[in-house]
Amino acid sequence: MEHIVAQGLSRRYGTGHTAVDALLDVSFSINSGEFVAVMGESGAGKSTLLSLLGAMNPPTSGRYVVDGIDVYGLPSEKRADFRREYLGFVFQSQNLVPYLTLAENVMLPLAVVKESSRKKREMARAALERVGLEDLGHRLPDEVSGGECGRAAIARAVVNQPPVILADEPTGSLDSATGTRIMKLLADLNGQGSTIIMVTHSEASAEYANRLIRIVDGRLARSAHSPKAGVLLVC
């Protein structure tokens, strides 16, 4: 069943002679439970695409539909509700607040959730347990390793149990061994049913995906798949 549908997505920045087309007529669909890697050179439009899929950056033209919801047809406050319900975000820089414990960082997406403080602590504890950090929730980010910070960032992304995880270069700032552990964790989450869309420059990371989308100059291009990747997207 199609879970995510992009129809003719384009994004232009600026006007007149200074206008830049970051994305041009991008169309694809993603089924529930897929792990999709988005690759391309710097400036190709990968991050712009991810920001559109994250309901943060309206397209100049085209439609973005998730489970039948026309995301950019929603008013801004409803779009914020959509992000909270459907999406979890993992960033290269991790974006952990340094003066909050790992557990408190994981609880940040719950700030607007109508649950008791006790329930929110339980949800954070469960998310930390999913990534193997159940004993480190009381630590500050600078008291744990880079890999543990990465896992805490993933726990924060899944604390609301969103069906879709958007990851932007999740191993970009990590050494290869730590990056491998992060990718195995994302693969485990995918195996548990999460749909994952990951922007990456790393061929090794892309091999964990079962499908590859390659962007060239803002457009989708025909792409070869790695031996570990399953389905080939041809555009």
Side-chain angles (χ1 to χ4, degrees):
M1 180 181 68
E2 291 183 343
H3 184 33
I4 295 170
V5 179
Q7 298 176 338
L9 290 180
S10 297
R11 187 64 170 92
R12 171 172 289 188
Y13 295 102
T15 58
H17 295 298
T18 62
V20 175
D21 291 311
L23 284 181
L24 291 163
D25 195 26
V26 171
S27 297
F28 58 84
S29 62
I30 295 173
N31 294 331
S32 180
E34 284 196 275
F35 190 154
V36 177
V38 180
M39 301 192 73
E41 299 296 328
S42 294
K46 305 183 304 299
S47 294
T48 296
L49 175 60
L50 202 67
S51 69
L52 265 65
L53 299 182
M56 296 181 289
N57 185 12
T60 305
S61 60
R63 296 179 72 227
Y64 171 43
V65 179
V66 179
D67 284 349
I69 300 169
D70 185 351
V71 175
Y72 287 106
L74 298 171
S76 58
E77 65 275 11
K78 294 294 185 182
R79 204 154 64 235
D81 292 339
F82 167 83
R83 282 194 298 271
R84 184 170 61 251
E85 180 180 351
Y86 274 87
L87 306 176
F89 297 88
V90 180
F91 303 99
Q92 177 179 349
S93 60
Q94 299 163 358
N95 290 353
L96 298 181
V97 180
Y99 54 83
L100 297 180
T101 66
L102 298 187
E104 289 167 339
N105 270 283
V106 172
M107 289 174 64
L108 287 175
L110 304 176
V112 295
V113 175
K114 295 180 180 179
E115 293 285 358
S116 66
S117 295
R118 179 178 179 180
K119 176 63 175 178
K120 291 178 182 180
R121 287 193 296 269
E122 291 174 353
M123 292 171 71
R125 190 179 304 114
L128 286 167
E129 186 174 356
R130 288 184 73 182
V131 301
L133 294 178
E134 59 270 24
D135 296 327
L136 297 180
H138 62 287
R139 299 280 187 89
L140 294 171
D142 65 0
E143 295 175 335
V144 299
S145 70
E148 287 164 341
C149 283
R151 284 191 277 161
I154 292 174
R156 181 182 57 195
V158 303
V159 68
N160 274 335
Q161 298 185 333
V164 180
I165 297 173
L166 302 177
D168 189 3
E169 298 284 0
T171 65
S173 61
L174 304 173
D175 61 77
S176 59
T178 303
T180 296
R181 288 195 289 271
I182 293 298
M183 289 310 306
K184 287 181 177 178
L185 176 56
L186 288 174
D188 287 344
L189 293 171
N190 176 244
Q192 296 168 22
S194 295
T195 302
I196 299 178
I197 306 171
M198 174 185 68
V199 163
T200 183
H201 281 96
S202 168
E203 296 284 352
S205 294
E207 288 183 352
Y208 285 85
N210 54 33
R211 192 162 125 196
L212 176 63
I213 292 175
R214 193 176 295 275
I215 299 182
V216 177
D217 296 332
R219 297 181 183 274
L220 294 191
R222 180 169 178 162
S223 175
H225 61 72
S226 70
K228 291 184 181 179
V231 182
L232 172 64
L233 179 67
V234 179
C235 306

